[in-house]
Amino acid sequence: MNKVIEIGRLTRDPEMRKTADGTSVTNFSIAVDRRLGKNSEHPEADFFDCVSWSATADFVAKYFTKGMKIGIDGHLQSRKWKDKDGNDRRSVEIITDNVEFVESKKTSESSTTQTGVNTNTNTNTAKMQNTEEFAMVGQESNELPF
């Protein structure tokens, strides 16, 4: 089984090109936060190169930019190639099968800076602003309100 599912932020703008037969191919990289360890004060990230083909490539190139959060699923693929000096190289990439928005455009624009760092400290502010219509229930007694 070869299945990869990741959520991360684009580290650069996607780069789209066309093959000789006109098929779209888009390359991009994502940074995926690691879970914080017990002795870790700062989050660390892993970086993955991704490749999308055809309609998925068009979608990524059109709607995603550096710093945006993206959800992908796909599979790993390794390839061998020669660098400009003729040395053998190997790369491992995620070939995307599906790509999804993980946050709204408004959230993406307001919560990321040019470096992709989340600056939004309270995502529930907008949801909690209009609470005047709600009455407090059952604070004085131990009864449940239902």
Side-chain angles (χ1 to χ4, degrees):
M1 181 182 295
N2 182 355
K3 184 76 170 171
V4 176
I5 301 171
E6 297 288 351
I7 295 176
R9 291 199 182 272
L10 273 76
T11 61
R12 57 184 165 86
D13 287 336
E15 298 171 9
M16 187 174 87
R17 64 190 194 306
K18 300 275 187 176
T19 63
D21 69 351
T23 304
S24 299
V25 59
T26 299
N27 295 318
F28 60 98
S29 295
I30 61 172
V32 178
D33 290 335
R34 292 183 188 170
R35 291 186 177 170
L36 288 176
K38 292 180 181 177
N39 298 327
S40 179
E41 294 179 18
H42 303 287
E44 294 180 11
D46 291 305
F47 297 86
F48 300 102
D49 292 327
C50 303
V51 180
S52 296
W53 291 88
S54 302
T56 305
D58 295 333
F59 176 72
V60 171
K62 184 174 182 179
Y63 294 108
F64 288 91
T65 58
K66 177 181 177 179
M68 289 180 70
K69 200 172 227 183
I70 188 171
I72 63 167
D73 77 75
H75 59 278
L76 290 178
Q77 180 174 298
S78 63
R79 63 183 175 95
K80 295 179 185 177
W81 51 280
K82 291 194 183 282
D83 65 14
K84 63 182 178 181
D85 298 325
N87 298 317
D88 289 331
R89 300 295 219 186
R90 172 174 256 181
S91 297
V92 175
E93 300 164 321
I94 299 172
I95 307 302
T96 64
D97 296 323
N98 295 299
V99 174
E100 296 182 16
F101 293 105
V102 177
E103 62 189 354
S104 69
K105 185 174 182 180
K106 185 176 180 181
T107 302
S108 176
E109 290 173 352
S110 68
S111 68
T112 59
T113 64
Q114 287 182 333
T115 58
V117 176
N118 188 344
T119 58
N120 189 355
T121 56
N122 187 0
T123 58
N124 291 325
T125 302
K127 294 177 187 173
M128 298 300 292
Q129 286 178 351
N130 191 11
T131 58
E132 296 169 358
E133 63 191 65
F134 298 105
M136 298 306 281
V137 178
Q139 283 191 345
E140 296 293 323
S141 68
N142 290 333
E143 292 183 31
L144 295 175
F146 50 87

